[in-house]
Amino acid sequence: MIRRLAAGAAVLALATGLSACIIVSSEGGSRTVVTSDAAMATPSNTALYADAVADPRRPAEEVARDALRHPAEVLAFAQLAPGDKVADIRPGAGYFTRLFSDVVGPTGRVYAFVPERTMARENAGADALAAAYPNVTRVNGLLDTMTFAEPLDMIFMSQEYHDFHIPGFNTDVARMNAAAFAALKPGGRYILIDHQAAPGTGISAVQTLHRIEGDYLKREVQAAGFVYEGESTAVANPADDHSLNVFDEKIRGRTDQFVYHFRKPG
């Protein structure tokens, strides 16, 4: 049932189990909650997500972060399925890459995309993932001209998009979004997780606080032709006032984050 929630009621919903809402509109401080993340996945896929999270190959330090990162909810919101072809942009230690590999299975493929700007320190980690998971392939390239060996079902970025606005990355974000659009199949998904900045701040805090205003990001992605499908609150934190650097120990690991789902029309 569709329910209209004011900001305070949304916090109550989080506390009472509606921790993974999809928010599809925001007007005058209220939000429309349509369904839960779990409802987006078929029962068989929901079981796959649970199995992926429970995979004993996952490093203990990553498992310890699950309570904060809510991986099963994120997988459901992303609608990941067996056979999907996925790009994980800047996979880091591989927290999501491992999960994606388990879900897409032997008929799927996960491209661990390491930008040329950071490959000197990040290629080794991507190569280790590829060695451990046969359906993972490391790819290097420029973010604003990224290409893959086949059309993709999903492109995923977790806590990375804001960095690409930092001058040192030498990235044209508009061209990056256009390249992502071109790399996806019609109907493909563009899933973005990032640290929320204060309303009206746009990209002014990307370097100082490592945050980006969600509405600003949304406008950028839509300008590339994507359709905004909704938001998950799985990793939201209403107690975060958006004033601290995300690496500050007072908030690290507990920042207010948005998870946006965009779709390429078709």
Side-chain angles (χ1 to χ4, degrees):
M1 180 177 68
I2 296 177
R3 287 189 277 175
R4 206 72 165 154
L5 297 178
V11 177
L12 177 63
L14 291 172
T16 56
L18 195 60
S19 62
C21 313
I22 300 171
I23 304 171
V24 296
S25 67
S26 179
E27 298 172 352
S30 63
R31 293 176 172 183
T32 302
V33 178
V34 177
T35 184
S36 70
D37 291 352
M40 296 185 74
T42 66
S44 60
N45 286 350
T46 300
L48 282 175
Y49 305 150
D51 288 345
V53 172
D55 188 336
R57 293 176 296 174
R58 298 182 65 216
E61 61 271 19
E62 294 190 2
V63 173
R65 298 164 66 195
D66 287 351
L68 295 172
R69 303 198 77 172
H70 299 276
E73 291 93 331
V74 172
L75 291 170
F77 182 70
Q79 299 176 291
L80 196 67
D84 275 357
K85 311 302 189 293
V86 176
D88 189 2
I89 308 299
R90 284 194 83 193
Y95 181 94
F96 280 106
T97 312
R98 292 182 176 88
L99 297 168
F100 295 161
S101 173
D102 276 359
V103 175
V104 304
T107 62
R109 175 64 49 184
V110 182
Y111 295 98
F113 184 90
V114 179
E116 289 187 4
R117 172 72 176 76
T118 56
M119 64 184 185
R121 65 177 183 272
E122 295 174 4
N123 267 358
D127 286 342
L129 289 167
Y133 296 85
N135 62 354
V136 173
T137 300
R138 188 251 296 166
V139 176
N140 293 124
L142 297 174
L143 286 159
D144 25 7
T145 57
M146 69 173 92
T147 57
F148 300 90
E150 58 191 323
L152 302 179
D153 297 285
M154 183 177 83
I155 295 177
F156 180 89
M157 296 184 195
S158 178
Q159 303 174 345
E160 299 294 341
Y161 187 102
H162 72 273
D163 274 342
F164 305 142
H165 272 290
I166 295 174
F169 270 91
N170 300 318
T171 298
D172 182 324
V173 172
R175 289 184 63 197
M176 178 186 77
N177 287 330
F181 189 92
L184 286 165
K185 298 175 182 177
R189 290 104 61 203
Y190 194 22
I191 309 297
L192 301 173
I193 304 176
D194 221 323
H195 308 281
Q196 183 69 269
T201 56
I203 58 172
S204 63
V206 294
Q207 190 158 16
T208 55
L209 304 182
H210 289 272
R211 296 175 180 268
I212 185 168
E213 182 192 13
D215 284 347
Y216 186 98
L217 178 151
K218 193 185 301 180
R219 291 192 296 271
E220 284 194 326
V221 174
Q222 289 173 314
F226 286 99
V227 175
Y228 174 65
E229 295 278 276
E231 175 185 356
S232 168
T233 60
V235 288
N237 178 12
D240 177 10
D241 68 4
H242 311 135
S243 66
L244 297 175
N245 185 298
V246 302
F247 299 109
D248 189 311
E249 290 303 322
K250 298 184 186 71
I251 198 66
R252 187 169 189 171
R254 302 180 305 282
T255 57
D256 184 24
Q257 297 173 57
F258 54 81
V259 188
Y260 288 164
H261 185 296
F262 298 92
R263 177 179 53 82
K264 178 177 178 175

PDB file of all heavy atoms in Angstrom, residues 19-42:
ATOM      1  N   SER A  19      13.172  -0.712   6.468  1.00  0.00           N
ATOM      2  CA  SER A  19      14.506  -0.139   6.388  1.00  0.00           C
ATOM      3  C   SER A  19      15.037  -0.050   4.978  1.00  0.00           C
ATOM      4  O   SER A  19      16.128   0.440   4.768  1.00  0.00           O
ATOM      5  CB  SER A  19      15.483  -0.978   7.223  1.00  0.00           C
ATOM      6  OG  SER A  19      15.544  -2.289   6.701  1.00  0.00           O
ATOM      7  N   ALA A  20      14.267  -0.519   4.017  1.00  0.00           N
ATOM      8  CA  ALA A  20      14.743  -0.511   2.635  1.00  0.00           C
ATOM      9  C   ALA A  20      13.629  -0.062   1.715  1.00  0.00           C
ATOM     10  O   ALA A  20      13.168  -0.791   0.867  1.00  0.00           O
ATOM     11  CB  ALA A  20      15.249  -1.894   2.242  1.00  0.00           C
ATOM     12  N   CYS A  21      13.160   1.156   1.949  1.00  0.00           N
ATOM     13  CA  CYS A  21      12.085   1.695   1.134  1.00  0.00           C
ATOM     14  C   CYS A  21      12.632   2.150  -0.209  1.00  0.00           C
ATOM     15  O   CYS A  21      13.780   2.501  -0.318  1.00  0.00           O
ATOM     16  CB  CYS A  21      11.449   2.912   1.817  1.00  0.00           C
ATOM     17  SG  CYS A  21      11.079   2.682   3.548  1.00  0.00           S
ATOM     18  N   ILE A  22      11.756   2.174  -1.205  1.00  0.00           N
ATOM     19  CA  ILE A  22      12.076   2.843  -2.453  1.00  0.00           C
ATOM     20  C   ILE A  22      11.316   4.148  -2.465  1.00  0.00           C
ATOM     21  O   ILE A  22      10.093   4.144  -2.356  1.00  0.00           O
ATOM     22  CB  ILE A  22      11.696   2.007  -3.673  1.00  0.00           C
ATOM     23  CG1 ILE A  22      12.458   0.687  -3.639  1.00  0.00           C
ATOM     24  CG2 ILE A  22      12.005   2.755  -4.946  1.00  0.00           C
ATOM     25  CD1 ILE A  22      11.982  -0.277  -4.676  1.00  0.00           C
ATOM     26  N   ILE A  23      12.020   5.254  -2.571  1.00  0.00           N
ATOM     27  CA  ILE A  23      11.409   6.566  -2.536  1.00  0.00           C
ATOM     28  C   ILE A  23      11.393   7.104  -3.943  1.00  0.00           C
ATOM     29  O   ILE A  23      12.444   7.275  -4.561  1.00  0.00           O
ATOM     30  CB  ILE A  23      12.185   7.505  -1.601  1.00  0.00           C
ATOM     31  CG1 ILE A  23      12.270   6.869  -0.206  1.00  0.00           C
ATOM     32  CG2 ILE A  23      11.528   8.863  -1.518  1.00  0.00           C
ATOM     33  CD1 ILE A  23      13.178   7.587   0.730  1.00  0.00           C
ATOM     34  N   VAL A  24      10.229   7.343  -4.471  1.00  0.00           N
ATOM     35  CA  VAL A  24      10.152   7.727  -5.870  1.00  0.00           C
ATOM     36  C   VAL A  24       9.752   9.173  -6.082  1.00  0.00           C
ATOM     37  O   VAL A  24       9.741   9.639  -7.202  1.00  0.00           O
ATOM     38  CB  VAL A  24       9.185   6.814  -6.652  1.00  0.00           C
ATOM     39  CG1 VAL A  24       9.694   5.403  -6.663  1.00  0.00           C
ATOM     40  CG2 VAL A  24       7.776   6.874  -6.084  1.00  0.00           C
ATOM     41  N   SER A  25       9.446   9.889  -5.021  1.00  0.00           N
ATOM     42  CA  SER A  25       9.208  11.310  -5.181  1.00  0.00           C
ATOM     43  C   SER A  25       9.468  12.013  -3.870  1.00  0.00           C
ATOM     44  O   SER A  25       9.388  11.402  -2.809  1.00  0.00           O
ATOM     45  CB  SER A  25       7.775  11.594  -5.645  1.00  0.00           C
ATOM     46  OG  SER A  25       6.848  11.244  -4.647  1.00  0.00           O
ATOM     47  N   SER A  26       9.781  13.284  -3.952  1.00  0.00           N
ATOM     48  CA  SER A  26      10.038  14.076  -2.757  1.00  0.00           C
ATOM     49  C   SER A  26       9.553  15.479  -3.011  1.00  0.00           C
ATOM     50  O   SER A  26      10.113  16.195  -3.824  1.00  0.00           O
ATOM     51  CB  SER A  26      11.531  14.075  -2.422  1.00  0.00           C
ATOM     52  OG  SER A  26      11.776  14.855  -1.276  1.00  0.00           O
ATOM     53  N   GLU A  27       8.478  15.878  -2.321  1.00  0.00           N
ATOM     54  CA  GLU A  27       7.893  17.180  -2.525  1.00  0.00           C
ATOM     55  C   GLU A  27       7.470  17.736  -1.180  1.00  0.00           C
ATOM     56  O   GLU A  27       6.757  17.091  -0.426  1.00  0.00           O
ATOM     57  CB  GLU A  27       6.667  17.089  -3.446  1.00  0.00           C
ATOM     58  CG  GLU A  27       6.985  16.569  -4.842  1.00  0.00           C
ATOM     59  CD  GLU A  27       5.731  16.315  -5.649  1.00  0.00           C
ATOM     60  OE1 GLU A  27       4.620  16.394  -5.076  1.00  0.00           O
ATOM     61  OE2 GLU A  27       5.861  16.041  -6.834  1.00  0.00           O
ATOM     62  N   GLY A  28       7.936  18.940  -0.890  1.00  0.00           N
ATOM     63  CA  GLY A  28       7.507  19.595   0.323  1.00  0.00           C
ATOM     64  C   GLY A  28       7.834  18.832   1.583  1.00  0.00           C
ATOM     65  O   GLY A  28       7.081  18.872   2.553  1.00  0.00           O
ATOM     66  N   GLY A  29       8.948  18.101   1.614  1.00  0.00           N
ATOM     67  CA  GLY A  29       9.372  17.402   2.806  1.00  0.00           C
ATOM     68  C   GLY A  29       8.732  16.043   3.005  1.00  0.00           C
ATOM     69  O   GLY A  29       8.977  15.389   4.004  1.00  0.00           O
ATOM     70  N   SER A  30       7.889  15.594   2.108  1.00  0.00           N
ATOM     71  CA  SER A  30       7.272  14.278   2.243  1.00  0.00           C
ATOM     72  C   SER A  30       7.763  13.349   1.146  1.00  0.00           C
ATOM     73  O   SER A  30       8.261  13.789   0.118  1.00  0.00           O
ATOM     74  CB  SER A  30       5.750  14.391   2.173  1.00  0.00           C
ATOM     75  OG  SER A  30       5.345  14.875   0.919  1.00  0.00           O
ATOM     76  N   ARG A  31       7.620  12.040   1.385  1.00  0.00           N
ATOM     77  CA  ARG A  31       8.091  11.051   0.426  1.00  0.00           C
ATOM     78  C   ARG A  31       7.020   9.998   0.222  1.00  0.00           C
ATOM     79  O   ARG A  31       6.276   9.668   1.149  1.00  0.00           O
ATOM     80  CB  ARG A  31       9.375  10.391   0.921  1.00  0.00           C
ATOM     81  CG  ARG A  31      10.568  11.350   0.976  1.00  0.00           C
ATOM     82  CD  ARG A  31      11.777  10.655   1.556  1.00  0.00           C
ATOM     83  NE  ARG A  31      12.957  11.500   1.436  1.00  0.00           N
ATOM     84  CZ  ARG A  31      14.170  11.119   1.804  1.00  0.00           C
ATOM     85  NH1 ARG A  31      14.364   9.926   2.291  1.00  0.00           N
ATOM     86  NH2 ARG A  31      15.199  11.926   1.668  1.00  0.00           N
ATOM     87  N   THR A  32       6.984   9.433  -0.949  1.00  0.00           N
ATOM     88  CA  THR A  32       6.040   8.361  -1.242  1.00  0.00           C
ATOM     89  C   THR A  32       6.777   7.030  -1.228  1.00  0.00           C
ATOM     90  O   THR A  32       7.657   6.807  -2.040  1.00  0.00           O
ATOM     91  CB  THR A  32       5.388   8.566  -2.619  1.00  0.00           C
ATOM     92  OG1 THR A  32       4.747   9.831  -2.633  1.00  0.00           O
ATOM     93  CG2 THR A  32       4.369   7.473  -2.886  1.00  0.00           C
ATOM     94  N   VAL A  33       6.419   6.160  -0.296  1.00  0.00           N
ATOM     95  CA  VAL A  33       7.031   4.841  -0.204  1.00  0.00           C
ATOM     96  C   VAL A  33       6.159   3.860  -0.972  1.00  0.00           C
ATOM     97  O   VAL A  33       4.982   3.704  -0.671  1.00  0.00           O
ATOM     98  CB  VAL A  33       7.181   4.405   1.262  1.00  0.00           C
ATOM     99  CG1 VAL A  33       7.773   3.006   1.348  1.00  0.00           C
ATOM    100  CG2 VAL A  33       8.067   5.392   1.998  1.00  0.00           C
ATOM    101  N   VAL A  34       6.728   3.228  -1.966  1.00  0.00           N
ATOM    102  CA  VAL A  34       5.949   2.362  -2.843  1.00  0.00           C
ATOM    103  C   VAL A  34       6.073   0.897  -2.464  1.00  0.00           C
ATOM    104  O   VAL A  34       5.102   0.171  -2.427  1.00  0.00           O
ATOM    105  CB  VAL A  34       6.370   2.575  -4.309  1.00  0.00           C
ATOM    106  CG1 VAL A  34       5.619   1.631  -5.217  1.00  0.00           C
ATOM    107  CG2 VAL A  34       6.131   4.019  -4.710  1.00  0.00           C
ATOM    108  N   THR A  35       7.274   0.435  -2.176  1.00  0.00           N
ATOM    109  CA  THR A  35       7.472  -0.978  -1.900  1.00  0.00           C
ATOM    110  C   THR A  35       8.783  -1.151  -1.165  1.00  0.00           C
ATOM    111  O   THR A  35       9.503  -0.196  -0.921  1.00  0.00           O
ATOM    112  CB  THR A  35       7.473  -1.799  -3.206  1.00  0.00           C
ATOM    113  OG1 THR A  35       7.581  -3.193  -2.878  1.00  0.00           O
ATOM    114  CG2 THR A  35       8.622  -1.441  -4.106  1.00  0.00           C
ATOM    115  N   SER A  36       9.129  -2.359  -0.802  1.00  0.00           N
ATOM    116  CA  SER A  36      10.405  -2.641  -0.155  1.00  0.00           C
ATOM    117  C   SER A  36      11.380  -3.200  -1.170  1.00  0.00           C
ATOM    118  O   SER A  36      10.987  -3.722  -2.202  1.00  0.00           O
ATOM    119  CB  SER A  36      10.219  -3.654   0.979  1.00  0.00           C
ATOM    120  OG  SER A  36       9.917  -4.920   0.447  1.00  0.00           O
ATOM    121  N   ASP A  37      12.673  -3.122  -0.847  1.00  0.00           N
ATOM    122  CA  ASP A  37      13.684  -3.652  -1.753  1.00  0.00           C
ATOM    123  C   ASP A  37      13.461  -5.135  -2.018  1.00  0.00           C
ATOM    124  O   ASP A  37      13.599  -5.616  -3.131  1.00  0.00           O
ATOM    125  CB  ASP A  37      15.081  -3.472  -1.161  1.00  0.00           C
ATOM    126  CG  ASP A  37      15.509  -2.020  -1.120  1.00  0.00           C
ATOM    127  OD1 ASP A  37      14.779  -1.183  -1.682  1.00  0.00           O
ATOM    128  OD2 ASP A  37      16.547  -1.732  -0.527  1.00  0.00           O
ATOM    129  N   ALA A  38      13.133  -5.872  -0.974  1.00  0.00           N
ATOM    130  CA  ALA A  38      12.974  -7.314  -1.131  1.00  0.00           C
ATOM    131  C   ALA A  38      11.873  -7.647  -2.132  1.00  0.00           C
ATOM    132  O   ALA A  38      11.939  -8.655  -2.833  1.00  0.00           O
ATOM    133  CB  ALA A  38      12.664  -7.952   0.216  1.00  0.00           C
ATOM    134  N   ALA A  39      10.874  -6.782  -2.225  1.00  0.00           N
ATOM    135  CA  ALA A  39       9.776  -7.060  -3.143  1.00  0.00           C
ATOM    136  C   ALA A  39      10.192  -6.933  -4.593  1.00  0.00           C
ATOM    137  O   ALA A  39       9.500  -7.403  -5.489  1.00  0.00           O
ATOM    138  CB  ALA A  39       8.609  -6.108  -2.860  1.00  0.00           C
ATOM    139  N   MET A  40      11.343  -6.301  -4.852  1.00  0.00           N
ATOM    140  CA  MET A  40      11.810  -6.135  -6.225  1.00  0.00           C
ATOM    141  C   MET A  40      12.415  -7.420  -6.773  1.00  0.00           C
ATOM    142  O   MET A  40      12.567  -7.571  -7.976  1.00  0.00           O
ATOM    143  CB  MET A  40      12.837  -5.008  -6.308  1.00  0.00           C
ATOM    144  CG  MET A  40      12.294  -3.645  -5.955  1.00  0.00           C
ATOM    145  SD  MET A  40      13.513  -2.352  -6.217  1.00  0.00           S
ATOM    146  CE  MET A  40      13.528  -2.252  -8.007  1.00  0.00           C
ATOM    147  N   ALA A  41      12.805  -8.317  -5.906  1.00  0.00           N
ATOM    148  CA  ALA A  41      13.500  -9.531  -6.338  1.00  0.00           C
ATOM    149  C   ALA A  41      12.541 -10.723  -6.316  1.00  0.00           C
ATOM    150  O   ALA A  41      11.620 -10.790  -5.510  1.00  0.00           O
ATOM    151  CB  ALA A  41      14.681  -9.811  -5.411  1.00  0.00           C
ATOM    152  N   THR A  42      12.771 -11.684  -7.222  1.00  0.00           N
ATOM    153  CA  THR A  42      11.999 -12.914  -7.180  1.00  0.00           C
ATOM    154  C   THR A  42      12.444 -13.718  -5.960  1.00  0.00           C
ATOM    155  O   THR A  42      13.555 -13.542  -5.455  1.00  0.00           O
ATOM    156  CB  THR A  42      12.244 -13.747  -8.445  1.00  0.00           C
ATOM    157  OG1 THR A  42      13.618 -14.181  -8.456  1.00  0.00           O
ATOM    158  CG2 THR A  42      11.942 -12.940  -9.697  1.00  0.00           C
TER     159      THR A  42
END
